[in-house]
Amino acid sequence: MSVDAWLLAEAPSSRRQARLGEAYRAWLAFRRKPLAMVGLVTILALLAVAAAAPLLATHSPIAQDLAARLLPPGTAGHLLGTDELGRDIWSRLVYGARITLVIVTMVVVLVAPLGLLVGCVAGYAGGWLDSTLMRVTDIFLAFPRLILALAFVAAIGPGIENAIIAIAITAWPPYARLARAETITIRESDFIAAARLQGASAARIVVRQVMPLCLSSVIVRVTLDMAGIILTAAGLGFLGLGAQPPAPEWGAMISSGRSYILDQWWVATMPGIAICVVSLGFNLLGDGLRDVLDPKQR
Amino acid sequence: MQPLSRLVFPALRLLVGVALTFFGLLLVTFLIGRVVPIDPVLAAAGDRVTAEVYERVRTELGLDLPLWQQFLRYVGQVLTGDFGRSILTSNPVLVDIARFFPATLELATIAMLFGLFFGIPLGVAAATHQGRWPDHLVRVLGLLGYSVPVFWLGLVGLLVFYARLGWVAGPGRLDVAYDDLFDPVTGIVLLDAAMAGEWEAFRNALEHLVLPAAVLGWFSLAYLSRMTRSFMIEQLRQEYVTTARVKGLSEARVVWRHALGNIAVPLVTVAALTYASLLEGSVLTETVFAWPGLGRYITNSLLSADMNAVLGGTIVVGAVFIGLNLVSDLLYRALDPRARGR
């Protein structure tokens, strides 16, 4: 039996075969969408660039060379030119990919479990716990996110960790709403009743039965949110509140190139293009994943 | 009895919700104000104070009270419009905000009009030409709108349209030459210039406004066209549309009168929410275009650790945000008969 046939079997004989088959079908559906594939390739490229940064970079991202400052793109040895301190822009972009990845990963690691937990508990428990948790969520949802993140960073001081915390604090409520809505639709299912009859505790049911089912919609939402997180982080960097110099964070690079925009356009333009490409990649990937994974669309 | 309670209870619930949200906002800003590593006493009294003066200022500021009493005091101050004094401008924060807010309002409003004017027709065209070029255009615009950093777009816009092509005026609201030509009655330059009859200044203000408004409005355009498209597709599938077509109405009338009339309600609520995010999005746009609005006031204060101004600005933006949420909710209830009494 070929792998293909095993994966697509109508009657899978084990749980693992069913799960892998499901994933394989999603992949087949995903593969048919050219834009989604472009997104996937972009993000894989971002991962590869971040991983291989030392190999791809032609110069040190922070070493200054004042003799070679503000060289235009295409100068020998400097593919994308140099910035106001003579640092190679290509090398800074390549290392900046790592910072971008760290930011989005950390935000997601903080936000998704928190939102999932709040939403699933509220949805499963119902009653006063539900109303209280959702009231808190609504309060956070009604806040202006960027301004609140700014105020947080102003209070706890600029820096990449603080920017991550500030973004995370303002980003979790939509996940809680989403997880709650999903939980309510499955709360009354027979398999939940079965688990309850077997004596599973509420905590066990939430963690083992409810949360995994909310996961796919959370993943879709996370992917679509990535672009927003990247843009917010870059905005904080641009205002000087995110990663601090000499770190090659893309938003901060645009900010430092701002003074030269009229004569040396490339200093600010190149990191902007990098941000656009990566956010676009995440948006395309998220759109594709939503079409494939969102149970409401199937 | 029945109809009255049906009207009063939802309104009451809405009000309580708004009050709670505002209270939550104040709690958050209060806590932010407490975790700042800046000593508020030193910030108010200066660095070199005697221990005696230090204690007196500390008592005056209420910092010797327990935390919950400090919070109540804080709520009382905010509700009476007392946000403290800005260190940077040494004005009361509320006075500063009143001076800077009109500029933000002007920018966000023009951006909103830009989004409505282009976004809704584009969305309708995408829905009626599904799978053809208007549809693809809306998708691309939307994707770019969500992927491009607004501050970068502003910089590139300045480079291309101001420095290279010379189509628009540069940063700021007016050229220096027009600065004192008319009195700032409303603080909204376009209105003030028009009221003073200074049409050349009006034109100049418009040249300054068009680029930042377009950059900011891009996002409302992206969002509104996407929402219009999906609302419209939903409507065009309905049976009344078929009926209207069978009746022999022109396609334009079916789309623009019948279908658009039915999506007007959700569109208005979406527009109100978009407006709120534009007010917030103006923070970065204002920084790029040296636009003397609330966003730039907040960021400038931020960089000089002027927490009274930052938190005051946050509360005002937050209050406008909550207010617009409420307006969008009320509009939905007022305009859509199905939502009444729920």
Side-chain angles (χ1 to χ4, degrees):
Chain A
M1 194 154 80
S2 72
V3 179
D4 211 57
W6 182 77
L7 283 168
L8 293 174
E10 283 295 324
S13 55
S14 71
R15 190 184 284 186
R16 190 203 293 171
Q17 187 183 359
R19 263 187 205 155
L20 288 176
E22 180 86 336
Y24 185 62
R25 281 194 188 87
W27 164 244
L28 288 181
F30 186 84
R31 216 175 51 178
R32 278 198 298 272
K33 299 173 185 300
L35 280 179
M37 286 304 285
V38 171
L40 181 65
V41 170
T42 310
I43 301 313
L44 288 178
L46 173 74
L47 289 172
V49 166
L55 299 176
L56 290 170
T58 49
H59 295 72
S60 151
I62 51 171
Q64 303 178 7
D65 178 6
L66 292 180
R69 64 195 291 270
L70 298 170
L71 293 176
T75 312
H78 297 289
L79 186 63
L80 300 179
T82 57
D83 68 3
E84 73 282 6
L85 295 172
R87 296 171 296 196
D88 182 54
I89 292 179
W90 162 250
S91 308
R92 282 175 71 71
L93 285 185
V94 164
Y95 275 95
R98 291 186 164 184
I99 300 182
T100 301
L101 272 180
V102 166
I103 293 175
V104 290
T105 314
M106 287 304 295
V107 170
V108 169
V109 164
L110 288 171
V111 161
L114 177 66
L116 205 56
L117 190 68
V118 170
C120 290
V121 167
Y124 185 75
W128 65 269
L129 193 57
D130 184 21
S131 354
T132 314
L133 286 176
M134 279 305 113
R135 173 52 68 192
V136 174
T137 311
D138 279 347
I139 289 176
F140 269 89
L141 263 181
F143 288 163
R145 281 174 62 172
L146 180 66
I147 303 241
L148 211 60
L150 284 179
F152 269 114
V153 178
I156 51 187
I160 199 162
E161 296 88 1
N162 291 348
I164 291 169
I165 294 171
I167 297 173
I169 286 176
T170 52
W172 65 269
Y175 294 89
R177 290 235 127 222
L178 188 70
R180 175 176 177 269
E182 292 275 316
T183 308
I184 286 178
T185 60
I186 54 177
R187 185 173 61 184
E188 308 300 336
S189 313
D190 290 341
F191 72 93
I192 299 281
R196 208 179 291 141
L197 285 176
Q198 281 180 340
S201 66
R204 191 184 162 87
I205 291 177
V206 167
V207 173
R208 295 295 300 268
Q209 315 286 340
V210 177
M211 275 192 183
L213 282 175
C214 300
L215 215 54
S216 70
S217 49
V218 166
I219 288 174
V220 171
R221 175 79 206 210
V222 159
T223 323
L224 286 170
D225 256 10
M226 289 284 197
I229 295 170
I230 290 174
L231 293 184
T232 310
L236 288 175
F238 178 73
L239 294 173
L241 298 169
Q244 296 298 301
E249 197 270 328
W250 294 343
M253 285 172 72
I254 296 178
S255 167
S256 73
R258 199 181 148 188
S259 332
Y260 309 94
I261 183 82
L262 297 186
D263 296 313
Q264 286 87 21
W265 54 270
W266 57 91
V267 184
T269 311
M270 296 304 177
I273 294 174
I275 297 175
C276 293
V277 168
V278 172
S279 336
L280 197 60
F282 274 117
N283 275 331
L284 291 174
L285 180 65
D287 270 348
L289 281 180
R290 180 178 50 199
D291 292 347
V292 173
L293 289 180
D294 195 342
K296 273 157 234 115
Q297 308 233 347
R298 249 190 267 174
Chain B
M1 201 58 209
Q2 183 75 20
L4 188 69
S5 68
R6 232 196 231 177
L7 214 66
V8 168
F9 278 126
L12 213 62
R13 245 178 53 194
L14 214 59
L15 274 181
V16 170
V18 168
L20 268 178
T21 310
F22 189 65
F23 195 73
L25 176 68
L26 291 187
L27 187 60
V28 170
T29 52
F30 174 75
L31 290 176
I32 291 177
R34 293 300 112 168
V35 297
V36 183
I38 307 161
D39 187 336
V41 178
L42 293 184
D47 277 342
R48 292 183 210 157
V49 289
T50 57
E52 198 180 318
V53 176
Y54 186 92
E55 276 311 310
R56 206 187 67 224
V57 174
R58 203 172 117 87
T59 320
E60 270 173 24
L61 291 174
L63 292 171
D64 51 347
L65 301 170
L67 212 55
W68 65 271
Q69 279 184 20
Q70 286 186 38
F71 178 61
L72 287 186
R73 198 183 140 117
Y74 175 74
V75 172
Q77 281 171 345
V78 169
L79 289 182
T80 52
D82 177 9
F83 296 119
R85 213 167 257 281
S86 156
I87 300 165
L88 201 60
T89 62
S90 65
N91 291 326
V93 170
L94 198 65
V95 172
D96 278 346
I97 290 176
R99 206 177 66 217
F100 289 113
F101 192 69
T104 299
L105 193 68
E106 185 174 23
L107 180 59
T109 307
I110 301 292
M112 184 73 219
L113 293 178
F114 179 85
L116 286 172
F117 190 76
F118 292 103
I120 292 181
L122 269 176
V124 171
T128 51
H129 298 76
Q130 261 192 83
R132 277 177 285 156
W133 70 265
D135 197 14
H136 297 309
L137 179 71
V138 165
R139 177 166 306 148
V140 170
L141 279 179
L143 277 170
L144 286 179
Y146 293 125
S147 308
V148 178
V150 60
F151 50 95
W152 179 76
L153 193 64
L155 282 175
V156 174
L158 276 176
L159 171 68
V160 174
F161 295 107
Y162 166 59
R164 293 284 150 88
L165 296 173
W167 289 358
V168 298
R173 295 177 87 184
L174 274 176
D175 285 352
V176 187
Y178 299 101
D179 250 354
D180 292 315
L181 270 181
F182 51 88
D183 296 325
V185 184
T186 57
I188 293 172
V189 173
L190 285 181
L191 275 184
D192 287 342
M195 281 195 307
E198 295 284 353
W199 294 108
E200 231 169 284
F202 182 85
R203 199 188 136 89
N204 184 258
L206 209 57
E207 279 171 1
H208 278 275
L209 185 59
V210 65
L211 187 59
V215 166
L216 186 59
W218 175 271
F219 298 87
S220 61
L221 189 157
Y223 188 60
L224 282 169
S225 62
R226 245 163 110 134
M227 296 306 280
T228 308
R229 176 183 177 274
S230 65
F231 289 151
M232 200 61 173
I233 287 176
E234 180 81 33
Q235 290 299 320
L236 291 178
R237 283 199 203 117
Q238 306 285 324
E239 284 178 358
Y240 74 85
V241 168
T242 317
T243 313
R245 281 183 184 143
V246 170
K247 259 177 19 183
L249 294 183
S250 70
E251 188 62 21
R253 203 178 161 81
V254 171
V255 171
W256 292 98
R257 285 295 292 270
H258 290 238
L260 194 67
N262 274 315
I263 63 169
V265 174
L267 269 186
V268 166
T269 61
V270 166
L273 293 178
T274 316
Y275 196 47
S277 62
L278 283 180
L279 282 177
E280 182 187 36
S282 60
V283 171
L284 290 164
T285 319
E286 284 175 10
T287 310
V288 172
F289 287 96
W291 195 261
L294 194 55
R296 207 162 83 101
Y297 176 65
I298 293 178
T299 46
N300 276 348
S301 314
L302 239 157
L303 297 175
S304 40
D306 187 353
M307 281 316 280
N308 280 344
V310 172
L311 294 179
T314 308
I315 292 173
V316 168
V317 177
V320 173
F321 224 74
I322 296 168
L324 281 171
N325 270 308
L326 178 69
V327 167
S328 128
D329 205 350
L330 288 177
L331 276 177
Y332 185 71
R333 276 161 209 264
L335 296 176
D336 191 339
R338 283 168 304 183
R340 268 177 221 151
R342 251 201 262 157

